[in-house]
Amino acid sequence: MKLKGKDIIVFGLPRFDSKIESTNYTVAKMLARDNRVFYVEHPFTIKDYMRLRKGPEIAKRKGYFDVTNDAVIDTDIAEFKVIVPPVLLSINFLPEGKLFRTLLKINEALIRAKLKRVIKKYRIKDFIYINSFNFHYPNLIEGLAPKLTAYYCVDPIVVPFDARHGGISENELLKKSDLVFCTSRQLYNNSKLLNTNTYFVPNAADIRHSQKALDPDLPVASVLKDIPKPVIGYFGNIERRMDYEMLEKIIRQNPDKSFVFVGPQDKSYIPDWFFNTPHVYSTGSVPYSEMPAVIKGFDVALLPFKRDEVSATIFPLKLFEYLGAGKPLVSINFNDDLREFTGDSVAFCTDADSFTEAIEDALHNDSEEKRQRRIQIAADNTWEKRVDQIAELLANAFSNK
């Protein structure tokens, strides 16, 4: 059954101008192919507002914060609009308990008041509400009478800021939602204990974007200029998920190769050796639009996430982005689900020695046949196909309400 002509309100964790492409925002945009979608971005708190008040984030939202303002931000997709919530109280520092939950209800009421105005202005009726991993506000939709509710769980809650209240709030969402979508098998297994209408919908990639790396006329990104070949590269956040202990061994074993890490850094997790090793290059962030030009400059792509209980729940977007660009990929075997979707096209390694062997094999034994196999696997795992799966589940549930 096709989901078409419906009104959908998506409350997402990322903001619409986030530097990193996200599952939440991508899915919301793609649902707007056949439906009218209003994306409610993550609110700014008073603390956020004061810290960023002189920056571009606040400037571009000027005039939209007012709770009495029913204006929305138009996008380049006709049926996709962005709602900027009002500035909220900063309450996450509080301990879990009655005071926190009372103030949370006030924050939710402020967002809800604005949503009511938008719903009235645009005559939104019988709408679908999707909480897209914004577990911070579990009761936002109360009183707005959606016809169908869904929770989209894309990651485990591990960041201390999120975990302070997130576990309790997420459990509320899991229990009360009509449907739950999870991006990994482990998240699915956990969520199904609280909601039997839970579905496993793994992450995918914007293959049309990553395949720009196949264009022979596309120049390699300037951040890779003058870095010696061969380049063993990673594109993404550089933070707690990385297995720095294994990475150090791999990098020490390969002094003749350049290991390049492109993306934002959380230096609280990164060891000193990372910045003091001559053949390790850390470029910092680049816009997502430049991702194909970056990956084009990689000779071998990396997925160096450590194997633990958290990583077992991660289905990274970059898996299919790398494959869609045709690049050989070497990964730590952090999530056993990934083999199901990649077959023998990715080398999943258990230690530094096997990782080094896989890099050497990728550098010296790659072929056009293997390259085309990788591209085909990526083509079988596009966002179009994933969103079609989500849309069908929503449509069936909607018709049964």
Side-chain angles (χ1 to χ4, degrees):
M1 182 177 294
K2 191 172 181 64
L3 186 72
K4 189 171 184 179
K6 300 293 188 292
D7 283 328
I8 305 173
I9 295 176
V10 180
F11 186 27
L13 189 60
R15 298 193 176 105
F16 78 91
D17 54 353
S18 172
K19 294 180 180 179
I20 301 296
E21 188 75 1
S22 68
T23 296
N24 320 70
Y25 196 65
T26 297
V27 169
K29 286 192 298 184
M30 296 198 70
L31 285 171
R33 291 175 299 175
D34 299 305
N35 305 278
R36 187 169 61 158
V37 177
F38 295 83
Y39 184 83
V40 186
E41 67 169 8
H42 187 60
F44 289 84
T45 64
I46 294 173
K47 182 179 178 181
D48 297 330
Y49 187 91
M50 296 306 295
R51 178 171 56 88
L52 301 170
R53 65 187 183 279
K54 296 181 180 179
E57 297 97 334
I58 300 301
K60 70 177 62 174
R61 292 168 174 81
K62 188 175 181 180
Y64 290 98
F65 287 117
D66 190 340
V67 71
T68 64
N69 189 332
D70 58 12
V72 298
I73 297 177
D74 290 321
T75 70
D76 56 359
I77 301 172
E79 295 299 315
F80 186 66
K81 316 289 185 181
V82 174
I83 299 173
V84 177
V87 177
L88 303 182
L89 300 171
S90 303
I91 63 173
N92 200 70
F93 70 95
L94 292 170
E96 179 59 47
K98 186 175 181 179
L99 176 60
F100 171 79
R101 292 292 156 179
T102 299
L103 294 176
L104 177 60
K105 287 181 180 180
I106 294 173
N107 278 347
E108 289 174 327
L110 288 169
I111 307 173
R112 192 181 301 121
K114 184 158 192 174
L115 284 180
K116 285 181 178 179
R117 293 179 180 276
V118 174
I119 287 171
K120 181 178 180 180
K121 177 180 180 179
Y122 288 91
R123 299 179 182 178
I124 300 171
K125 296 181 179 179
D126 295 331
F127 67 94
I128 297 170
Y129 173 72
I130 303 173
N131 183 304
S132 193
F133 202 54
N134 204 328
F135 46 83
H136 297 290
Y137 304 92
N139 300 304
L140 171 65
I141 204 62
E142 286 186 359
L144 296 182
K147 184 167 182 179
L148 184 72
T149 62
Y151 177 56
Y152 194 16
C153 181
V154 304
D155 267 321
I157 299 175
V158 294
V159 176
F161 179 90
D162 295 337
R164 188 175 184 88
H165 303 287
I168 292 174
S169 294
E170 185 177 57
N171 284 347
E172 287 189 56
L173 279 164
L174 288 169
K175 291 174 183 177
K176 68 176 59 174
S177 297
D178 295 315
L179 294 90
V180 176
F181 306 116
C182 297
T183 58
S184 77
R185 192 84 67 185
Q186 187 61 52
L187 288 173
Y188 164 81
N189 290 335
N190 295 342
S191 299
K192 200 167 181 66
L193 297 174
L194 295 175
N195 190 320
T196 56
N197 293 321
T198 296
Y199 300 89
F200 173 38
V201 184
N203 277 331
D206 183 353
I207 305 305
R208 287 174 297 182
H209 186 51
S210 63
Q211 284 187 340
K212 294 174 185 176
L214 302 173
D215 182 355
D217 295 326
L218 178 71
V220 172
S222 59
V223 293
L224 301 181
K225 184 182 179 182
D226 300 328
I227 294 179
K229 291 279 195 175
V231 170
I232 317 301
Y234 169 85
F235 183 94
N237 291 323
I238 304 162
E239 32 78 64
R240 66 156 299 280
R241 293 180 296 180
M242 312 280 272
D243 190 335
Y244 294 104
E245 182 177 350
M246 189 186 295
L247 264 179
E248 184 177 19
K249 293 177 182 177
I250 295 164
I251 290 168
R252 300 294 185 203
Q253 290 177 358
N254 294 273
D256 58 331
K257 303 173 183 67
S258 296
F259 287 81
V260 180
F261 297 85
V262 181
Q265 304 171 0
D266 186 340
K267 293 186 178 180
S268 64
Y269 292 103
I270 305 174
D272 290 341
W273 68 260
F274 187 87
F275 301 105
N276 300 323
T277 304
H279 58 297
V280 171
Y281 301 84
S282 179
T283 69
S285 300
V286 301
Y288 180 73
S289 60
E290 294 183 22
M291 181 264 286
V294 172
I295 295 180
K296 183 175 183 178
F298 294 170
D299 296 295
V300 178
L302 297 179
L303 268 179
F305 295 163
K306 59 186 173 184
R307 187 177 178 89
D308 59 17
E309 292 182 2
V310 174
S311 293
T313 67
I314 294 171
F315 203 109
L317 301 180
K318 59 184 64 63
L319 172 69
F320 297 122
E321 290 174 341
Y322 288 150
L323 297 180
K327 293 298 178 179
L329 171 58
V330 182
S331 174
I332 295 173
N333 65 330
F334 62 91
N335 183 342
D336 294 332
D337 292 348
L338 304 187
R339 291 183 186 275
E340 175 185 345
F341 295 88
T342 58
D344 60 356
S345 67
V346 176
F348 292 101
C349 305
T350 58
D351 55 32
D353 291 340
S354 61
F355 209 104
T356 291
E357 291 174 9
I359 291 174
E360 289 293 339
D361 181 68
L363 288 172
H364 299 294
N365 298 310
D366 198 21
S367 66
E368 183 60 25
E369 181 181 356
K370 292 179 180 178
R371 181 169 173 264
Q372 290 302 322
R373 169 69 174 150
R374 294 190 289 267
I375 293 171
Q376 183 57 53
I377 287 173
D380 292 336
N381 291 276
T382 62
W383 276 124
E384 285 82 359
K385 293 184 178 182
R386 295 288 193 268
V387 174
D388 284 346
Q389 182 182 352
I390 290 171
E392 183 176 2
L393 290 167
L394 290 170
N396 289 337
F398 190 92
S399 67
N400 292 328
K401 290 288 285 185

